[in-house]
Amino acid sequence: MKLTDPAVDISLFSLPIGKKDIFCEEKPLVLEIGFGEGEFLIDAARCDASRNYLGIEIKRGRFRKAVRAAEKLSLGNLRFLHIEAEIALRQVFRERMFDLVLVNFPDPWPKKRHSKHRMFNREFITCLAKVLAGGGRAVIKTDQLSYIEQIVSEFERSRLFRTAYPPPGFIEAQTGETETKFEKHFREASQKIFSADFLNLPS
Ligand SMILES: C[S@@+](CC[C@H](N)C(=O)[O-])C[C@H]1O[C@@H](n2cnc3c(N)ncnc32)[C@H](O)[C@@H]1O
């Protein structure tokens, strides 16, 4: 693996992997789950050399597209991993290695009969708490009101996090400096975007 190769090959390491396996320089580490084609993370890494950025994505085609785009930039603080999120959190990452976890527009599964497929359930939140440093944060954005309400109630029920915002536990997000592909799409359609921010309580 070259120093600036954006694709992480976990077969080269014994599990769980830690920050030093992925990045040469020790810096605060941001994880984006479900990065899509990676535009948001590429922009973030390019604009902010003070942090390392790791993205995970389940779809191979999207992962490859992000890697191809990042290869042209040779950024030392940006890496991508093709993996399913819960497997990564449960089995691949070392405990407490992330300072911030971002989930931008998780698949919404809006139909009631599909809601069991939603990412944020009790097990997932427990895994998230383990890989976040004490005082680390999980920030989630979605255009689905029912999903953000469910997310807030699952985080509160877990007792592993403190909600940063007062009731109802989320805000209507204003335009960010860096928007994801889905965020641009929803804003163009004048849809509301909701954001929640959870602080990991030290165990
Ligand atoms: C609605 S898209 C949002 C993409 C991007 N974050 C954005 O805002 O433009 C959700 C993304 O999460 C990925 N995804 C869904 N479930 C996942 C999982 N269990 N593990 C990793 N990625 C996942 C999907 O493949 C898809 O790229």
Side-chain angles (χ1 to χ4, degrees):
M1 198 164 73
K2 286 188 294 178
L3 291 184
T4 53
D5 187 346
V8 179
D9 178 358
I10 55 168
S11 68
L12 299 174
F13 305 103
S14 50
L15 299 182
I17 58 172
K19 291 180 179 198
K20 287 184 187 154
D21 297 320
I22 310 174
F23 296 97
C24 301
E25 278 188 80
E26 182 101 7
K27 295 177 182 177
L29 181 52
V30 180
L31 173 70
E32 187 187 7
I33 295 177
F35 59 71
E37 294 177 358
E39 315 88 339
F40 168 80
L41 212 58
I42 291 172
D43 259 15
R46 201 164 38 180
C47 297
D48 175 20
S50 71
R51 299 197 279 190
N52 286 326
Y53 289 86
L54 175 67
I56 60 176
E57 168 57 51
I58 196 170
K59 291 204 173 145
R60 186 185 292 274
R62 293 181 180 178
F63 163 78
R64 286 203 176 127
K65 202 164 174 183
V67 168
R68 276 200 301 275
E71 273 168 353
K72 296 179 189 140
L73 301 169
S74 297
L75 296 168
N77 65 335
L78 175 65
R79 296 289 183 271
F80 294 120
L81 186 52
H82 175 224
I83 196 163
E84 196 282 322
E86 193 167 331
I87 293 174
L89 300 185
R90 203 182 274 284
Q91 299 173 19
V92 173
F93 296 139
R94 199 160 286 169
E95 289 187 12
R96 301 173 181 277
M97 68 184 268
F98 298 104
D99 299 281
L100 174 63
V101 174
L102 304 172
V103 191
N104 293 312
F105 304 93
D107 287 335
W109 298 106
K111 290 187 181 150
K112 200 159 190 179
R113 69 178 188 280
H114 291 153
S115 61
K116 60 179 179 290
H117 298 302
R118 286 178 165 177
M119 182 180 279
F120 288 96
N121 54 38
R122 190 191 187 113
E123 292 75 42
F124 189 80
I125 289 169
T126 305
C127 292
L128 204 53
K130 274 199 192 139
V131 299
L132 267 169
R137 289 161 52 218
V139 176
I140 298 138
K141 277 187 184 176
T142 176
D143 65 312
Q144 301 280 316
L145 180 60
S146 73
Y147 198 7
I148 202 78
E149 287 171 341
Q150 184 205 332
I151 288 170
V152 168
S153 98
E154 292 285 359
F155 271 85
E156 284 178 346
R157 209 172 9 205
S158 77
R159 297 176 180 272
L160 299 168
F161 290 84
R162 184 163 61 75
T163 308
Y165 299 122
F170 59 89
I171 56 165
E172 198 180 313
Q174 303 308 311
T175 319
E177 281 173 18
T178 311
E179 290 178 349
T180 71
K181 190 172 180 172
F182 273 68
E183 183 161 353
K184 281 188 190 118
H185 166 78
F186 293 133
R187 288 204 186 277
E188 276 161 21
S190 301
Q191 276 177 250
K192 286 186 179 175
I193 290 166
F194 306 103
S195 176
D197 188 335
F198 304 100
L199 187 76
N200 192 26
L201 297 171
S203 49

mmCIF file of all heavy atoms in Angstrom, residues 32-40 56-59 62 83-87 103-109 117 119 124 141 179-184 186, ligand 1:
data_model
loop_
_atom_site.group_PDB
_atom_site.id
_atom_site.type_symbol
_atom_site.label_atom_id
_atom_site.label_comp_id
_atom_site.label_asym_id
_atom_site.label_seq_id
_atom_site.Cartn_x
_atom_site.Cartn_y
_atom_site.Cartn_z
ATOM 1 N N GLU A 32 -16.809 8.524 7.989
ATOM 2 C CA GLU A 32 -18.121 8.706 7.347
ATOM 3 C C GLU A 32 -18.647 7.334 6.935
ATOM 4 O O GLU A 32 -17.983 6.598 6.195
ATOM 5 C CB GLU A 32 -18.072 9.625 6.117
ATOM 6 C CG GLU A 32 -19.512 9.889 5.618
ATOM 7 C CD GLU A 32 -19.620 10.644 4.295
ATOM 8 O OE1 GLU A 32 -18.627 10.884 3.626
ATOM 9 O OE2 GLU A 32 -20.748 10.958 3.919
ATOM 10 N N ILE A 33 -19.861 7.027 7.387
ATOM 11 C CA ILE A 33 -20.494 5.739 7.063
ATOM 12 C C ILE A 33 -21.420 5.939 5.877
ATOM 13 O O ILE A 33 -22.276 6.824 5.900
ATOM 14 C CB ILE A 33 -21.269 5.210 8.284
ATOM 15 C CG1 ILE A 33 -20.297 4.896 9.431
ATOM 16 C CG2 ILE A 33 -22.091 3.969 7.911
ATOM 17 C CD1 ILE A 33 -20.982 4.444 10.716
ATOM 18 N N GLY A 34 -21.240 5.122 4.824
ATOM 19 C CA GLY A 34 -22.103 5.220 3.636
ATOM 20 C C GLY A 34 -21.793 6.487 2.853
ATOM 21 O O GLY A 34 -22.662 7.331 2.645
ATOM 22 N N PHE A 35 -20.522 6.589 2.371
ATOM 23 C CA PHE A 35 -20.081 7.849 1.762
ATOM 24 C C PHE A 35 -20.577 8.041 0.329
ATOM 25 O O PHE A 35 -20.307 9.086 -0.276
ATOM 26 C CB PHE A 35 -18.553 7.987 1.823
ATOM 27 C CG PHE A 35 -17.779 6.897 1.129
ATOM 28 C CD1 PHE A 35 -17.740 6.792 -0.252
ATOM 29 C CD2 PHE A 35 -17.072 5.969 1.880
ATOM 30 C CE1 PHE A 35 -17.014 5.789 -0.882
ATOM 31 C CE2 PHE A 35 -16.338 4.964 1.266
ATOM 32 C CZ PHE A 35 -16.313 4.874 -0.123
ATOM 33 N N GLY A 36 -21.279 7.060 -0.217
ATOM 34 C CA GLY A 36 -21.787 7.218 -1.592
ATOM 35 C C GLY A 36 -20.622 7.257 -2.567
ATOM 36 O O GLY A 36 -19.828 6.322 -2.618
ATOM 37 N N GLU A 37 -20.497 8.345 -3.313
ATOM 38 C CA GLU A 37 -19.377 8.439 -4.260
ATOM 39 C C GLU A 37 -18.230 9.265 -3.683
ATOM 40 O O GLU A 37 -17.279 9.601 -4.394
ATOM 41 C CB GLU A 37 -19.882 8.992 -5.594
ATOM 42 C CG GLU A 37 -20.828 7.982 -6.231
ATOM 43 C CD GLU A 37 -21.451 8.453 -7.523
ATOM 44 O OE1 GLU A 37 -21.194 9.596 -7.947
ATOM 45 O OE2 GLU A 37 -22.211 7.664 -8.109
ATOM 46 N N GLY A 38 -18.339 9.635 -2.421
ATOM 47 C CA GLY A 38 -17.194 10.175 -1.688
ATOM 48 C C GLY A 38 -16.926 11.663 -1.831
ATOM 49 O O GLY A 38 -15.966 12.170 -1.248
ATOM 50 N N GLU A 39 -17.794 12.391 -2.564
ATOM 51 C CA GLU A 39 -17.473 13.818 -2.820
ATOM 52 C C GLU A 39 -17.325 14.602 -1.518
ATOM 53 O O GLU A 39 -16.416 15.431 -1.387
ATOM 54 C CB GLU A 39 -18.567 14.521 -3.642
ATOM 55 C CG GLU A 39 -19.088 13.777 -4.837
ATOM 56 C CD GLU A 39 -20.236 12.850 -4.497
ATOM 57 O OE1 GLU A 39 -20.385 12.478 -3.320
ATOM 58 O OE2 GLU A 39 -20.971 12.472 -5.414
ATOM 59 N N PHE A 40 -18.232 14.363 -0.587
ATOM 60 C CA PHE A 40 -18.212 15.116 0.670
ATOM 61 C C PHE A 40 -16.897 14.885 1.426
ATOM 62 O O PHE A 40 -16.243 15.823 1.882
ATOM 63 C CB PHE A 40 -19.409 14.692 1.531
ATOM 64 C CG PHE A 40 -19.341 15.181 2.943
ATOM 65 C CD1 PHE A 40 -19.698 16.482 3.253
ATOM 66 C CD2 PHE A 40 -18.901 14.347 3.962
ATOM 67 C CE1 PHE A 40 -19.608 16.946 4.566
ATOM 68 C CE2 PHE A 40 -18.813 14.803 5.262
ATOM 69 C CZ PHE A 40 -19.173 16.104 5.562
ATOM 70 N N ILE A 56 -16.430 4.540 4.803
ATOM 71 C CA ILE A 56 -16.791 3.159 4.482
ATOM 72 C C ILE A 56 -18.081 3.163 3.661
ATOM 73 O O ILE A 56 -18.968 3.991 3.868
ATOM 74 C CB ILE A 56 -16.918 2.262 5.745
ATOM 75 C CG1 ILE A 56 -17.992 2.773 6.692
ATOM 76 C CG2 ILE A 56 -15.593 2.149 6.455
ATOM 77 C CD1 ILE A 56 -18.211 1.861 7.898
ATOM 78 N N GLU A 57 -18.159 2.224 2.728
ATOM 79 C CA GLU A 57 -19.302 2.176 1.804
ATOM 80 C C GLU A 57 -19.513 0.714 1.398
ATOM 81 O O GLU A 57 -18.563 0.003 1.098
ATOM 82 C CB GLU A 57 -18.995 3.070 0.578
ATOM 83 C CG GLU A 57 -19.915 2.945 -0.605
ATOM 84 C CD GLU A 57 -21.397 3.212 -0.288
ATOM 85 O OE1 GLU A 57 -21.723 4.241 0.314
ATOM 86 O OE2 GLU A 57 -22.221 2.349 -0.664
ATOM 87 N N ILE A 58 -20.791 0.318 1.365
ATOM 88 C CA ILE A 58 -21.099 -1.091 1.055
ATOM 89 C C ILE A 58 -21.110 -1.364 -0.449
ATOM 90 O O ILE A 58 -20.838 -2.490 -0.876
ATOM 91 C CB ILE A 58 -22.449 -1.490 1.713
ATOM 92 C CG1 ILE A 58 -22.619 -2.987 1.748
ATOM 93 C CG2 ILE A 58 -23.619 -0.819 1.020
ATOM 94 C CD1 ILE A 58 -23.803 -3.436 2.602
ATOM 95 N N LYS A 59 -21.411 -0.348 -1.257
ATOM 96 C CA LYS A 59 -21.551 -0.599 -2.701
ATOM 97 C C LYS A 59 -20.205 -0.462 -3.402
ATOM 98 O O LYS A 59 -19.570 0.601 -3.344
ATOM 99 C CB LYS A 59 -22.567 0.362 -3.310
ATOM 100 C CG LYS A 59 -23.971 0.061 -2.844
ATOM 101 C CD LYS A 59 -25.022 0.549 -3.799
ATOM 102 C CE LYS A 59 -26.388 0.053 -3.346
ATOM 103 N NZ LYS A 59 -27.460 0.978 -3.604
ATOM 104 N N ARG A 62 -19.631 2.399 -6.064
ATOM 105 C CA ARG A 62 -19.470 3.731 -5.451
ATOM 106 C C ARG A 62 -18.092 3.850 -4.795
ATOM 107 O O ARG A 62 -17.428 4.879 -4.905
ATOM 108 C CB ARG A 62 -20.573 3.980 -4.424
ATOM 109 C CG ARG A 62 -21.919 4.087 -5.093
ATOM 110 C CD ARG A 62 -23.047 4.356 -4.133
ATOM 111 N NE ARG A 62 -24.287 4.432 -4.881
ATOM 112 C CZ ARG A 62 -25.477 4.626 -4.354
ATOM 113 N NH1 ARG A 62 -25.616 4.767 -3.046
ATOM 114 N NH2 ARG A 62 -26.547 4.680 -5.103
ATOM 115 N N ILE A 83 -16.769 -1.926 2.791
ATOM 116 C CA ILE A 83 -17.203 -2.854 3.846
ATOM 117 C C ILE A 83 -18.597 -2.471 4.341
ATOM 118 O O ILE A 83 -19.001 -1.298 4.222
ATOM 119 C CB ILE A 83 -16.186 -2.840 5.022
ATOM 120 C CG1 ILE A 83 -16.380 -4.046 5.927
ATOM 121 C CG2 ILE A 83 -16.255 -1.541 5.826
ATOM 122 C CD1 ILE A 83 -15.187 -4.320 6.832
ATOM 123 N N GLU A 84 -19.290 -3.431 4.903
ATOM 124 C CA GLU A 84 -20.600 -3.162 5.512
ATOM 125 C C GLU A 84 -20.369 -2.537 6.899
ATOM 126 O O GLU A 84 -19.472 -2.963 7.650
ATOM 127 C CB GLU A 84 -21.379 -4.479 5.626
ATOM 128 C CG GLU A 84 -22.865 -4.336 5.877
ATOM 129 C CD GLU A 84 -23.214 -4.020 7.313
ATOM 130 O OE1 GLU A 84 -22.554 -4.554 8.221
ATOM 131 O OE2 GLU A 84 -24.142 -3.225 7.538
ATOM 132 N N ALA A 85 -21.195 -1.532 7.230
ATOM 133 C CA ALA A 85 -20.905 -0.715 8.411
ATOM 134 C C ALA A 85 -20.908 -1.500 9.731
ATOM 135 O O ALA A 85 -19.994 -1.351 10.542
ATOM 136 C CB ALA A 85 -21.924 0.431 8.493
ATOM 137 N N GLU A 86 -21.936 -2.322 9.950
ATOM 138 C CA GLU A 86 -21.984 -2.980 11.276
ATOM 139 C C GLU A 86 -20.840 -3.986 11.440
ATOM 140 O O GLU A 86 -20.279 -4.126 12.531
ATOM 141 C CB GLU A 86 -23.344 -3.644 11.511
ATOM 142 C CG GLU A 86 -23.486 -4.027 12.973
ATOM 143 C CD GLU A 86 -24.886 -4.401 13.383
ATOM 144 O OE1 GLU A 86 -25.857 -3.896 12.792
ATOM 145 O OE2 GLU A 86 -24.996 -5.212 14.321
ATOM 146 N N ILE A 87 -20.475 -4.645 10.338
ATOM 147 C CA ILE A 87 -19.330 -5.572 10.397
ATOM 148 C C ILE A 87 -18.069 -4.787 10.754
ATOM 149 O O ILE A 87 -17.264 -5.196 11.594
ATOM 150 C CB ILE A 87 -19.158 -6.315 9.051
ATOM 151 C CG1 ILE A 87 -20.354 -7.241 8.821
ATOM 152 C CG2 ILE A 87 -17.841 -7.078 8.997
ATOM 153 C CD1 ILE A 87 -20.366 -7.927 7.471
ATOM 154 N N VAL A 103 -22.924 10.280 9.570
ATOM 155 C CA VAL A 103 -23.765 9.462 8.693
ATOM 156 C C VAL A 103 -24.692 10.427 7.958
ATOM 157 O O VAL A 103 -25.630 10.986 8.543
ATOM 158 C CB VAL A 103 -24.568 8.391 9.464
ATOM 159 C CG1 VAL A 103 -25.199 7.414 8.460
ATOM 160 C CG2 VAL A 103 -23.689 7.632 10.448
ATOM 161 N N ASN A 104 -24.367 10.662 6.703
ATOM 162 C CA ASN A 104 -25.112 11.619 5.888
ATOM 163 C C ASN A 104 -26.142 10.872 5.040
ATOM 164 O O ASN A 104 -25.790 10.097 4.169
ATOM 165 C CB ASN A 104 -24.144 12.382 4.977
ATOM 166 C CG ASN A 104 -23.226 13.280 5.772
ATOM 167 O OD1 ASN A 104 -23.673 14.024 6.642
ATOM 168 N ND2 ASN A 104 -21.923 13.203 5.503
ATOM 169 N N PHE A 105 -27.388 11.064 5.357
ATOM 170 C CA PHE A 105 -28.496 10.495 4.593
ATOM 171 C C PHE A 105 -28.416 8.964 4.508
ATOM 172 O O PHE A 105 -28.283 8.395 3.429
ATOM 173 C CB PHE A 105 -28.580 11.159 3.208
ATOM 174 C CG PHE A 105 -28.708 12.640 3.357
ATOM 175 C CD1 PHE A 105 -27.583 13.450 3.344
ATOM 176 C CD2 PHE A 105 -29.931 13.220 3.610
ATOM 177 C CE1 PHE A 105 -27.686 14.822 3.569
ATOM 178 C CE2 PHE A 105 -30.046 14.584 3.832
ATOM 179 C CZ PHE A 105 -28.915 15.385 3.804
ATOM 180 N N PRO A 106 -28.501 8.312 5.684
ATOM 181 C CA PRO A 106 -28.587 6.842 5.666
ATOM 182 C C PRO A 106 -29.830 6.430 4.875
ATOM 183 O O PRO A 106 -30.832 7.164 4.869
ATOM 184 C CB PRO A 106 -28.732 6.490 7.157
ATOM 185 C CG PRO A 106 -29.212 7.744 7.823
ATOM 186 C CD PRO A 106 -28.668 8.886 7.021
ATOM 187 N N ASP A 107 -29.762 5.265 4.219
ATOM 188 C CA ASP A 107 -30.926 4.805 3.435
ATOM 189 C C ASP A 107 -32.171 4.885 4.318
ATOM 190 O O ASP A 107 -32.193 4.336 5.417
ATOM 191 C CB ASP A 107 -30.697 3.380 2.934
ATOM 192 C CG ASP A 107 -29.677 3.358 1.806
ATOM 193 O OD1 ASP A 107 -29.508 4.386 1.118
ATOM 194 O OD2 ASP A 107 -29.022 2.310 1.620
ATOM 195 N N PRO A 108 -33.230 5.566 3.854
ATOM 196 C CA PRO A 108 -34.345 5.901 4.757
ATOM 197 C C PRO A 108 -35.348 4.773 5.014
ATOM 198 O O PRO A 108 -36.010 4.773 6.033
ATOM 199 C CB PRO A 108 -35.035 7.054 4.030
ATOM 200 C CG PRO A 108 -34.695 6.890 2.589
ATOM 201 C CD PRO A 108 -33.343 6.234 2.547
ATOM 202 N N TRP A 109 -35.485 3.825 4.081
ATOM 203 C CA TRP A 109 -36.477 2.757 4.227
ATOM 204 C C TRP A 109 -37.789 3.332 4.776
ATOM 205 O O TRP A 109 -38.215 2.979 5.883
ATOM 206 C CB TRP A 109 -35.939 1.642 5.145
ATOM 207 C CG TRP A 109 -34.713 0.990 4.597
ATOM 208 C CD1 TRP A 109 -33.431 1.162 5.035
ATOM 209 C CD2 TRP A 109 -34.642 0.058 3.500
ATOM 210 N NE1 TRP A 109 -32.555 0.413 4.281
ATOM 211 C CE2 TRP A 109 -33.269 -0.283 3.330
ATOM 212 C CE3 TRP A 109 -35.580 -0.514 2.626
ATOM 213 C CZ2 TRP A 109 -32.831 -1.157 2.339
ATOM 214 C CZ3 TRP A 109 -35.130 -1.389 1.653
ATOM 215 C CH2 TRP A 109 -33.778 -1.703 1.520
ATOM 216 N N HIS A 117 -34.973 -2.550 8.158
ATOM 217 C CA HIS A 117 -33.682 -2.453 7.463
ATOM 218 C C HIS A 117 -32.900 -1.206 7.850
ATOM 219 O O HIS A 117 -31.765 -1.016 7.423
ATOM 220 C CB HIS A 117 -33.890 -2.420 5.944
ATOM 221 C CG HIS A 117 -34.548 -3.664 5.415
ATOM 222 N ND1 HIS A 117 -34.016 -4.923 5.583
ATOM 223 C CD2 HIS A 117 -35.701 -3.835 4.728
ATOM 224 C CE1 HIS A 117 -34.809 -5.807 5.025
ATOM 225 N NE2 HIS A 117 -35.854 -5.177 4.504
ATOM 226 N N MET A 119 -30.547 1.461 9.530
ATOM 227 C CA MET A 119 -29.237 1.218 10.138
ATOM 228 C C MET A 119 -29.234 1.423 11.654
ATOM 229 O O MET A 119 -28.587 0.694 12.397
ATOM 230 C CB MET A 119 -28.253 2.185 9.476
ATOM 231 C CG MET A 119 -26.831 2.082 9.927
ATOM 232 S SD MET A 119 -25.818 3.292 9.036
ATOM 233 C CE MET A 119 -25.540 2.444 7.501
ATOM 234 N N PHE A 124 -26.568 -1.451 16.571
ATOM 235 C CA PHE A 124 -25.694 -0.565 15.804
ATOM 236 C C PHE A 124 -25.184 0.572 16.692
ATOM 237 O O PHE A 124 -24.003 0.929 16.672
ATOM 238 C CB PHE A 124 -26.453 -0.004 14.599
ATOM 239 C CG PHE A 124 -25.573 0.732 13.637
ATOM 240 C CD1 PHE A 124 -24.799 0.046 12.717
ATOM 241 C CD2 PHE A 124 -25.505 2.115 13.665
ATOM 242 C CE1 PHE A 124 -23.967 0.731 11.839
ATOM 243 C CE2 PHE A 124 -24.675 2.805 12.787
ATOM 244 C CZ PHE A 124 -23.900 2.109 11.868
ATOM 245 N N LYS A 141 -27.500 13.136 9.523
ATOM 246 C CA LYS A 141 -28.419 14.007 8.766
ATOM 247 C C LYS A 141 -29.355 13.147 7.939
ATOM 248 O O LYS A 141 -28.931 12.132 7.367
ATOM 249 C CB LYS A 141 -27.622 14.878 7.785
ATOM 250 C CG LYS A 141 -27.029 16.116 8.373
ATOM 251 C CD LYS A 141 -26.427 16.935 7.236
ATOM 252 C CE LYS A 141 -25.715 18.153 7.710
ATOM 253 N NZ LYS A 141 -25.074 18.865 6.599
ATOM 254 N N GLU A 179 -21.583 20.151 1.109
ATOM 255 C CA GLU A 179 -22.813 19.361 1.086
ATOM 256 C C GLU A 179 -22.574 18.037 0.366
ATOM 257 O O GLU A 179 -21.820 17.974 -0.598
ATOM 258 C CB GLU A 179 -23.913 20.141 0.369
ATOM 259 C CG GLU A 179 -24.378 21.336 1.177
ATOM 260 C CD GLU A 179 -25.440 22.145 0.460
ATOM 261 O OE1 GLU A 179 -25.681 21.911 -0.738
ATOM 262 O OE2 GLU A 179 -26.029 23.011 1.110
ATOM 263 N N THR A 180 -23.288 16.995 0.816
ATOM 264 C CA THR A 180 -23.182 15.713 0.125
ATOM 265 C C THR A 180 -24.064 15.762 -1.130
ATOM 266 O O THR A 180 -24.896 16.660 -1.282
ATOM 267 C CB THR A 180 -23.661 14.554 1.019
ATOM 268 O OG1 THR A 180 -25.082 14.647 1.139
ATOM 269 C CG2 THR A 180 -23.023 14.587 2.389
ATOM 270 N N LYS A 181 -23.906 14.755 -1.972
ATOM 271 C CA LYS A 181 -24.710 14.674 -3.194
ATOM 272 C C LYS A 181 -26.206 14.660 -2.863
ATOM 273 O O LYS A 181 -27.009 15.378 -3.459
ATOM 274 C CB LYS A 181 -24.316 13.395 -3.935
ATOM 275 C CG LYS A 181 -24.854 13.253 -5.296
ATOM 276 C CD LYS A 181 -24.221 12.036 -5.954
ATOM 277 C CE LYS A 181 -24.755 11.868 -7.340
ATOM 278 N NZ LYS A 181 -24.044 10.832 -8.087
ATOM 279 N N PHE A 182 -26.572 13.846 -1.848
ATOM 280 C CA PHE A 182 -27.988 13.769 -1.480
ATOM 281 C C PHE A 182 -28.473 15.079 -0.882
ATOM 282 O O PHE A 182 -29.594 15.497 -1.132
ATOM 283 C CB PHE A 182 -28.227 12.594 -0.507
ATOM 284 C CG PHE A 182 -28.466 11.304 -1.225
ATOM 285 C CD1 PHE A 182 -27.445 10.690 -1.941
ATOM 286 C CD2 PHE A 182 -29.714 10.705 -1.223
ATOM 287 C CE1 PHE A 182 -27.660 9.506 -2.621
ATOM 288 C CE2 PHE A 182 -29.948 9.519 -1.900
ATOM 289 C CZ PHE A 182 -28.914 8.920 -2.605
ATOM 290 N N GLU A 183 -27.607 15.739 -0.102
ATOM 291 C CA GLU A 183 -28.022 17.016 0.499
ATOM 292 C C GLU A 183 -28.300 18.041 -0.603
ATOM 293 O O GLU A 183 -29.311 18.748 -0.554
ATOM 294 C CB GLU A 183 -26.944 17.525 1.463
ATOM 295 C CG GLU A 183 -27.369 18.810 2.151
ATOM 296 C CD GLU A 183 -26.589 19.123 3.418
ATOM 297 O OE1 GLU A 183 -25.791 18.288 3.863
ATOM 298 O OE2 GLU A 183 -26.799 20.216 3.952
ATOM 299 N N LYS A 184 -27.422 18.109 -1.601
ATOM 300 C CA LYS A 184 -27.632 19.054 -2.716
ATOM 301 C C LYS A 184 -28.970 18.768 -3.381
ATOM 302 O O LYS A 184 -29.752 19.667 -3.656
ATOM 303 C CB LYS A 184 -26.511 18.906 -3.745
ATOM 304 C CG LYS A 184 -25.238 19.610 -3.342
ATOM 305 C CD LYS A 184 -24.238 19.598 -4.490
ATOM 306 C CE LYS A 184 -22.890 20.083 -3.983
ATOM 307 N NZ LYS A 184 -21.833 19.121 -4.086
ATOM 308 N N PHE A 186 -31.653 17.263 -2.160
ATOM 309 C CA PHE A 186 -32.814 17.609 -1.326
ATOM 310 C C PHE A 186 -32.989 19.121 -1.222
ATOM 311 O O PHE A 186 -34.104 19.621 -1.216
ATOM 312 C CB PHE A 186 -32.695 16.995 0.073
ATOM 313 C CG PHE A 186 -32.776 15.494 0.066
ATOM 314 C CD1 PHE A 186 -31.861 14.715 0.767
ATOM 315 C CD2 PHE A 186 -33.791 14.840 -0.631
ATOM 316 C CE1 PHE A 186 -31.941 13.333 0.759
ATOM 317 C CE2 PHE A 186 -33.882 13.455 -0.645
ATOM 318 C CZ PHE A 186 -32.951 12.706 0.049
HETATM 319 C C1 LIG B 1 -28.809 7.565 0.583
HETATM 320 S S1 LIG B 1 -27.148 7.207 0.219
HETATM 321 C C2 LIG B 1 -26.267 8.656 0.812
HETATM 322 C C3 LIG B 1 -24.888 8.780 0.205
HETATM 323 C C4 LIG B 1 -24.062 9.965 0.732
HETATM 324 N N1 LIG B 1 -23.812 9.840 2.147
HETATM 325 C C5 LIG B 1 -24.749 11.293 0.430
HETATM 326 O O1 LIG B 1 -25.261 11.915 1.375
HETATM 327 O O2 LIG B 1 -24.731 11.712 -0.729
HETATM 328 C C6 LIG B 1 -26.748 5.999 1.467
HETATM 329 C C7 LIG B 1 -25.410 5.341 1.245
HETATM 330 O O3 LIG B 1 -25.128 4.457 2.328
HETATM 331 C C8 LIG B 1 -24.621 3.230 1.812
HETATM 332 N N2 LIG B 1 -24.954 2.183 2.781
HETATM 333 C C9 LIG B 1 -26.190 1.730 3.075
HETATM 334 N N3 LIG B 1 -26.126 0.767 4.017
HETATM 335 C C10 LIG B 1 -24.810 0.629 4.321
HETATM 336 C C11 LIG B 1 -24.119 -0.227 5.225
HETATM 337 N N4 LIG B 1 -24.770 -1.097 5.990
HETATM 338 N N5 LIG B 1 -22.768 -0.134 5.284
HETATM 339 C C12 LIG B 1 -22.106 0.769 4.494
HETATM 340 N N6 LIG B 1 -22.717 1.590 3.623
HETATM 341 C C13 LIG B 1 -24.055 1.531 3.541
HETATM 342 C C14 LIG B 1 -25.350 3.084 0.477
HETATM 343 O O4 LIG B 1 -24.703 2.190 -0.391
HETATM 344 C C15 LIG B 1 -25.353 4.515 -0.034
HETATM 345 O O5 LIG B 1 -24.197 4.830 -0.763
#
